Amino acid sequence: MSARLLAGAATRIAPTFDQHLALYGPLETHDDLIGAVEQAGLRGRGGGAFPTAAKLRAVAEAGGRPVVVANAVEGEPASGKDHALLRVAPHLVLDGAVLASRALGARDAVVAITDRTGRERATIEAAIAQRKRRDGRVRLRTAAVPNRFVAGEETALVRALAGRDAKPSLKPPYPFERGVDGAPTLVSNAETLAHVALIARFGAEWFRGVGAPDSPGTALITLGGAVAQPGVHEIELGSPLDRALDQAGGVTGRTQAILVGGYFGRWVTPADASKLRLTPDVLGAGAIVVLPAEVCAVAECARVLAYLADESAGQCGPCVHGLRAIADTVSAPGKSNRRPRLEQLAALVAGRGACRHPDGAAVFLRSALDVFADEFAQHAKRRQCSRRDVRVLPLPTRRR
Amino acid sequence: MKILRVDPIACDGRGLCAELMPERIALDEWGFPIVDSTPLSSSLERHAARAVAACPMLALRLESLDSIGGRTTARVRRR
């Protein structure tokens, strides 16, 4: 499969606007962008896998003067694809934001980032400056939001852009009806907009030329853990997990399990790796981590669950209390075998917050209880875990 | 048809709703409401309205399910 989003990656990073146009061709306004995106079957790449055309239509039909937000916040620590995309092909993301703006009648397009490295905002501002007045009436700008897990949730992002705290609000209203400055707002993942930019140039048929009929196109994944070539890769959607791992040089050593979909995702056994098809709803934001055999799965899951509890926005009782109870139960010596209690907690938190943070944690927990059932049972009996405590699942190291 | 729904951000776990509407609302171990959103019969609607009015945080809402399954929120007047 030839790379699409990462086509320029081999030769350079941070291409200029002219280098970008030389690689991908000119940027022309599409006369039915939403129709083309609908035919292409593009689904969001930020984790929700929502049909992009449906979102575009909802904003278009809401009336008023819409705003476009390219969401490159990427709060998930195990995911680096949006940051990589903004380094390797920033103009694809900007093209997509401009094209969506033209299709929706928006004048303002914001690229939202967290500025993890401190240089990112400057890099994107430089890319925007290179485009000068070639985007017509659409004004591009950047905005930096705090690097928190929930900051990329669409309502949290809308609030952060209004200068308030990056915490989710209750839906409805959805951003497509009332978002930035009360205007109908398209909040779209950066990678999704990059695909829009390619669909506008090459068409829906071209887009569907790779991938599967039920999952057309390509997607970026972030591969971590025990693989030969960790990092961001571009894969064909619908392909099995083991093929994606082979694309990264294969796994190194013996694999215990593979996390697919980041910290709201599910664990997969090595035996199931050839059977699991990587479709948008399975991938989430595309973070995949291979857990080697010698690492303690319970300790790794405990670290993630403690992180998810810490990253609660703190607004909803069931999330605040429930995720803390889950984290404490899994971490406490001798308690990790309390599967009925953990299952009960998972059921208590799901669907009872303003956003999907507790639901995601519940999915991760349930999957861990299933795949690592023996480990959870055994771990509680031992005072010391016999496996090495190497930290494989990436988490921020700072303490608050 | 009306249903009960809680705004989990506004909710502070005071629990008056569960006392007034045990048919549809139970409290979890931390004191927060677990709301059953089954449509309310007209006899239950009066009790639901009382529970909505009693919430000190205005977190409990009575919503209408319209004919296409959409929802609109009605604020209940205190008498």
Side-chain angles (χ1 to χ4, degrees):
Chain A
M1 181 212 75
S2 48
R4 295 177 159 186
L5 300 180
L6 301 184
T11 46
R12 60 173 60 88
I13 56 166
T16 64
F17 192 34
D18 291 314
Q19 286 167 341
H20 162 76
L21 293 175
L23 176 61
Y24 288 108
L27 174 68
E28 279 148 22
T29 304
H30 198 287
D31 55 10
D32 183 19
L33 182 71
I34 300 177
V37 170
E38 187 167 43
Q39 273 177 49
L42 177 64
R43 299 174 76 112
R45 298 279 190 265
F50 194 79
T52 307
K55 212 185 240 194
L56 285 162
R57 276 199 208 289
V59 176
E61 281 159 20
R65 172 74 66 194
V67 174
V68 167
V69 177
N71 188 350
V73 170
E74 197 157 49
E76 162 91 63
S79 182
K81 66 163 178 94
D82 294 326
H83 286 76
L85 188 60
L86 285 176
R87 276 198 312 279
V88 165
H91 288 289
L92 266 185
V93 177
L94 295 172
D95 284 353
V98 168
L99 288 165
S101 299
R102 287 180 191 161
L104 298 172
R107 293 261 172 84
D108 290 287
V110 187
V111 181
I113 55 161
T114 58
D115 216 2
R116 275 189 212 173
T117 65
R119 276 199 328 261
E120 271 152 15
R121 194 167 188 184
T123 307
I124 305 162
E125 300 259 345
I128 292 173
Q130 288 160 14
R131 298 168 79 99
K132 291 220 169 68
R133 280 179 294 280
R134 290 150 88 172
D135 288 321
R137 288 213 187 114
V138 180
R139 291 181 295 251
L140 287 164
R141 66 179 175 93
T142 62
V145 305
N147 185 17
R148 301 297 300 268
F149 192 73
V150 298
E153 193 275 335
E154 55 175 5
T155 60
L157 182 51
V158 164
R159 269 173 70 148
L161 292 175
R164 296 162 65 197
D165 50 3
K167 292 183 175 181
S169 53
L170 188 64
K171 297 189 277 204
Y174 290 84
F176 73 76
E177 26 188 357
R178 194 155 77 235
V180 175
D181 294 331
T185 302
L186 176 78
V187 180
S188 198
N189 176 257
E191 185 196 333
T192 309
L193 289 170
H195 288 290
V196 168
L198 294 179
I199 291 167
R201 281 177 168 85
F202 306 121
E205 282 299 298
W206 166 87
F207 182 80
R208 299 188 73 95
V210 299
D214 65 342
S215 296
T218 61
L220 296 180
I221 58 171
T222 311
L223 271 173
V227 285
Q229 290 150 32
V232 177
H233 298 263
E234 189 169 6
I235 60 156
E236 286 191 43
L237 280 171
S239 58
L241 174 60
D242 60 350
R243 207 195 302 165
L245 298 174
D246 287 341
Q247 208 178 305
V251 299
T252 57
R254 236 171 15 103
T255 303
Q256 192 175 168
I258 305 143
L259 181 64
V260 178
Y263 299 148
F264 284 174
R266 288 182 173 83
W267 290 98
V268 177
T269 61
D272 286 337
S274 57
K275 296 181 211 136
L276 181 71
R277 294 178 63 232
L278 298 178
T279 57
D281 35 294
V282 163
L283 274 177
I288 298 175
V289 187
V290 177
L291 198 71
E294 65 269 16
V295 169
C296 176
V298 178
E300 289 286 331
C301 290
R303 287 173 57 233
V304 170
L305 290 163
Y307 168 78
L308 291 175
D310 285 343
E311 289 296 304
S312 166
Q315 304 187 113
C316 305
C319 178
V320 171
H321 296 281
L323 263 51
R324 177 52 49 202
I326 288 168
D328 288 348
T329 305
V330 174
S331 312
K335 278 195 186 172
S336 62
N337 59 343
R338 294 189 183 174
R339 184 163 179 173
R341 170 61 173 157
L342 288 167
E343 299 274 9
Q344 178 203 32
L345 286 169
L348 261 181
V349 303
R352 293 183 63 223
C355 73
R356 294 281 155 267
H357 187 72
D359 303 60
V363 167
F364 177 85
L365 171 63
R366 282 203 169 109
S367 167
L369 290 173
D370 204 29
V371 171
F372 302 126
D374 291 341
E375 284 77 4
F376 271 78
Q378 292 302 313
H379 189 87
K381 294 183 189 159
R382 299 196 195 103
R383 262 190 236 128
Q384 251 184 327
C385 190
S386 61
R387 295 189 185 185
R388 285 161 51 210
D389 183 29
V390 175
R391 288 154 187 219
V392 173
L393 296 175
L395 290 172
T397 48
R398 73 176 184 284
R399 295 194 151 273
R400 279 181 296 280
Chain B
M1 291 249 81
K2 295 238 175 17
I3 61 163
L4 277 170
R5 206 166 153 245
V6 67
D7 174 351
I9 297 175
C11 175
D12 207 23
R14 307 284 180 96
L16 284 88
C17 54
E19 273 197 49
L20 290 170
M21 195 73 196
E23 297 88 345
R24 287 282 189 276
I25 303 175
L27 294 180
D28 66 20
E29 63 193 76
W30 308 293
F32 290 88
I34 302 170
V35 179
D36 178 351
S37 297
T38 311
L40 297 156
S41 62
S42 43
S43 60
L44 281 181
E45 263 186 50
R46 268 185 306 117
H47 297 282
R50 232 173 264 145
V52 168
C55 176
M57 309 305 293
L58 302 180
L60 192 63
R61 317 268 168 90
L62 207 53
E63 294 185 346
S64 291
L65 281 173
D66 66 31
S67 54
I68 51 168
R71 288 201 291 250
T72 54
T73 304
R75 208 169 272 308
V76 177
R77 267 175 41 223
R78 287 175 181 272
R79 281 197 211 89

